[in-house]
Structure formats: C-alpha cells, structure tokens
C-alpha cells in the first residue's frame, strides 16, 4: 500500500467504543495522531445522527458511513442516504406490530419508535431529540429498521424470502437486536460508492456487518475472538486496537 491515499476505516461499537458511550478522549487523541495525513472513515450500523454524539469535534472531519452502509456524511452534508419503498418495508412493519415486537424506524435524520416500549428507546432519546411520528418517517422515507428482539430473526428472514421483499438483514453478535436496510446495503458497498480504493485501505471491525468491508480491504483487523472471523490479517482485543493500527502503519510501506 502506498501512503498518499491510505484509507483507515474504523467500525464503532465493539471496535473503538463500548456500551454505547462516547469515544474515550485519549483514544480520540491517538486516532487524530495515527490518522494524520490519511483518509479517515467511521462506519457503523448506527445512523449518522447517532454516530456524531459519540465522536469528538476533533475527529468530525472524517467521512461517516451509517446505517450499515446506507448513509454517508461529511462536513455537515449527507452525501447519500438509501431508502426503502413502502412496498418493500410496509409488510414487515405490519408484521412487527401484529407480533408486538419493539423496533426503531430511522429516516434520513429523524426517528420513530414502536408502540411496544423498549429500554433502547430511552438510550436513543438520550443522544438526540429528533423523534417524530411513524407517519412522518414513512412519508419522508425509511433508511433502516432496528428490530429490538433477536428471537424473531428467523421468522423475519423467512417472511422476507416468502414475500420476495428487497432488503438486507444485519445481525449483531453481542446484542439482542438486528436491523434491516435496503437491498445490497453494506459498508463495503458504501466505501465503493464513495470511490474508496480497497487496495489502499486498512479496515477495522468486530461483527458480521463488517465482514464484507474486511474481506475487500488490503489490510484488515478483526477485534474479537478467534473463530468468529478467520480471514483478517490481524486479530486483537478491544484494548489493543490502536496499538495494532500503529504497528501496521509503522512497519508497512504506508509509513509517512
């Protein structure tokens, strides 16, 4: 890899942040130092709206990829935001209501909650106050549905297949949740859409929704246990992520 156009892509939850808390101030300083002169990206299952409160001001010049690749944002501008048609997602919303399953519906920036209450609703409201009615989100376009009960995942998968609905399902290993985005939405697709050259990319992630991004990148770091994902160039624990990134930069041709 050359250094002029090196791309460094960090997942958020479970990779550089834990328990939904903002990025540690020391980690933020280290990322600023390590990525100086490079192209920095943050890529998350979260919508952009819920990524920003976790990232300090000094790192907000990065390109943000949200909704598992469904959104991209930089310098205050939404570069793109994929949306479902209601024909694709309406039947799933109706099914969730019938089964009284808690969920969150995201639009480009605003959100709405299911009538069925869930503790995660309060967490989202603690990050921002952009809650509106479900009707408003549906009218302006749905970017993602977060389903707050993994027990129904197989039922939802079967429902999608049986009704030939066009959407992508993303699992989250360490949480009792999964989400749905428009078809062919993932972090690798978003990076490709942004013109990122994977031959010059270092990607860091910890979950299923990172696999495509890790598969395509020249150098990949998987944060987690052996056996979950075995194709990464490097594997490390949560506490060692930035040490490994620093070693890679120092010991490869991507050095300044």
């Amino acid at each position: 890899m050359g250094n002029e156009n090196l791309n460094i892509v960090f997942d958020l939850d479970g990779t550089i942040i834990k328990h939904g808390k903002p990025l540690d101030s020391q980690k933020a300083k280290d990322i600023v130092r390590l990525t100086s002169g490079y192209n920095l990206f943050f890529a998350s299952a979260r919508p952009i709206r819920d990524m920003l409160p976790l990232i300090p001001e000094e790192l907000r010049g990065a390109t943000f990829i949200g909704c598992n690749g469904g959104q991209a944002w930089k310098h205050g501008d939404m570069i793109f935001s994929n949306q479902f048609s209601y024909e694709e997602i309406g039947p799933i919303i109706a099914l969730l209501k019938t089964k009284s399953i808690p969920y969150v519906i995201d639009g480009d920036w605003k959100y709405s909650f299911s009538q069925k209450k869930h503790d995660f609703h309060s967490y989202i409201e603690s990050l921002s106050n952009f809650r509106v009615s479900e009707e408003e989100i549906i009218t302006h376009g749905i970017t993602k549905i977060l389903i707050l009960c993994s027990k129904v995942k197989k039922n939802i998968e079967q429902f999608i297949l049986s009704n030939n609905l066009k959407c992508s399902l993303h699992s989250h290993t360490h949480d009792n949740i999964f989400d749905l985005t428009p078809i062919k939405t993932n972090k690798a697709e978003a990076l490709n859409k942004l013109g990122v050259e994977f031959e010059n990319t270092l990607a860091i992630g910890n979950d299923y929704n990172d696999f495509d991004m890790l598969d395509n990148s020249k150098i990949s770091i998987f944060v987690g246990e052996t056996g979950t994902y075995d194709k990464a160039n490097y594997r490390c624990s949560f506490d060692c992520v930035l040490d490994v990134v620093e070693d890679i930069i120092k010991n490869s041709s991507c050095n300044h």
Side-chain angles (χ1 to χ4, degrees), residues 125-145:
E125 287 187 306
S126 76
L127 297 175
S128 67
N129 60 353
F130 294 106
R131 183 181 177 186
V132 296
S133 69
E134 187 169 297
E135 290 73 20
E136 182 173 337
I137 298 290
I138 290 170
T139 298
H140 290 94
I142 296 171
T143 59
K144 189 183 81 167
I145 295 184

Side-chain angles (χ1 to χ4, degrees), residues 195-210:
V196 170
E197 295 182 357
F198 287 105
E199 280 297 306
N200 239 18
T201 296
L202 164 60
I204 308 100
N206 80 311
D207 213 342
Y208 291 105
N209 61 334
D210 299 309

